[in-house]
Amino acid sequence: MPEPVVPATAAPVDPALPAAVLFDMDGTLVDTEQLWWQTAAEIAEELHHPLTDQDAPEVLGQAVEHTAAHLHRVSGTTLDEAELAARLGESFAGKVAAETVPRPGALALLASLRDAGVPTALVSASPRRVVDLVLSAIGRDWFAVTLAAEDTERTKPAPDPYLAAAERLGLDPAACLAVEDTPTGVASATAAGCAVLAVPSTATPMPDGERITLLASLEQADLALLGKLTAAPAV
């Protein structure tokens, strides 16, 4: 069942702050990107296709179905893509359930935003069952809206997830800040019109852009910086 639209009055009173902050999950808020790589690597090994750096763009930040299609294509396996996707999802969910660790600075930033009255959304390309596992570990009450892979017709790198999050919050995407860790997520948020704070979880190069800002860690992010990233450009 879709989550209700949050009234636009949920936006912060302080105009110097973003109207909302839209967080990616894997690799951004929680240290699960390596768990996803490990999951894909284990199954790829079974298919006699050891993963290399060349596979990274098809794995990191991608939905389960995308990575399953990639493994099917490069390995030539007789397993169909649906079975590969199911195996990837099951294995990843098990790893997340056993080991969910917040990224440095993530919970402190969420607390600062809550105290300032800035609404937040979780915008993930992971399946809902994985999203719910993470929310059980870090807390559901941080977010006014949560979106998983099943909640939009297209997932990242398409703009749909970020457009949907802004719509459910009753806000213009251009007034929102997205926080991402992969080029796939940055592409999604940028296409939706959001300003982007990119905090890479891997060495994969990030795209450049007028409204894309890179930080080494969320520990370096504070409310003043977030406000500057969504401020209207000087005329």
Side-chain angles (χ1 to χ4, degrees):
M1 178 180 298
E3 293 171 328
V5 172
V6 177
T9 52
V13 174
D14 188 346
L17 295 174
V21 180
L22 317 176
F23 286 93
D24 171 57
M25 186 180 77
D26 297 305
T28 299
L29 286 178
V30 289
D31 195 10
T32 52
E33 201 67 77
Q34 292 305 319
L35 297 180
W36 176 234
W37 179 265
Q38 182 183 345
T39 297
E42 289 172 354
I43 292 179
E45 190 72 31
E46 294 176 17
L47 301 176
H48 308 291
H49 176 76
L51 292 188
T52 69
D53 290 345
Q54 291 184 335
D55 297 288
E58 309 300 332
V59 176
L60 297 176
Q62 298 290 358
V64 171
E65 292 77 12
H66 183 101
T67 299
H70 171 69
L71 293 181
H72 185 272
R73 183 172 60 252
V74 297
S75 69
T77 179
T78 57
L79 297 174
D80 63 31
E81 292 180 20
E83 183 173 351
L84 281 175
R87 291 183 61 189
L88 284 165
E90 191 69 31
S91 178
F92 183 52
K95 287 179 171 59
V96 171
E99 186 181 352
T100 298
V101 179
R103 296 281 291 169
L107 297 184
L109 182 57
L110 284 169
S112 295
L113 291 166
R114 179 185 59 194
D115 292 346
V118 180
T120 59
L122 187 71
V123 185
S124 179
S126 284
R128 172 56 63 178
R129 65 173 174 170
V130 173
V131 170
D132 286 342
L133 285 171
V134 171
L135 291 174
S136 295
I138 68 172
R140 298 176 180 274
D141 294 341
W142 295 115
F143 307 103
V145 167
T146 66
L147 285 106
E150 301 93 331
D151 294 325
T152 53
E153 184 175 349
R154 300 180 300 172
T155 189
K156 304 173 188 179
D160 303 34
Y162 282 103
L163 291 174
E167 181 181 9
R168 293 188 187 184
L169 289 169
L171 296 169
D172 182 349
C176 300
L177 176 68
V179 186
E180 276 283 355
D181 74 306
T182 66
T184 300
V186 170
S188 173
T190 300
C194 302
V196 181
L197 174 60
V199 186
S201 60
T202 70
T204 306
M206 285 288 178
D208 293 325
E210 184 178 348
R211 302 191 77 205
I212 301 172
T213 302
L214 266 64
L215 281 187
S217 169
L218 287 179
E219 293 175 300
Q220 299 172 343
D222 58 21
L223 295 181
L225 173 63
L226 301 193
K228 290 178 182 178
L229 300 186
T230 49
V235 177

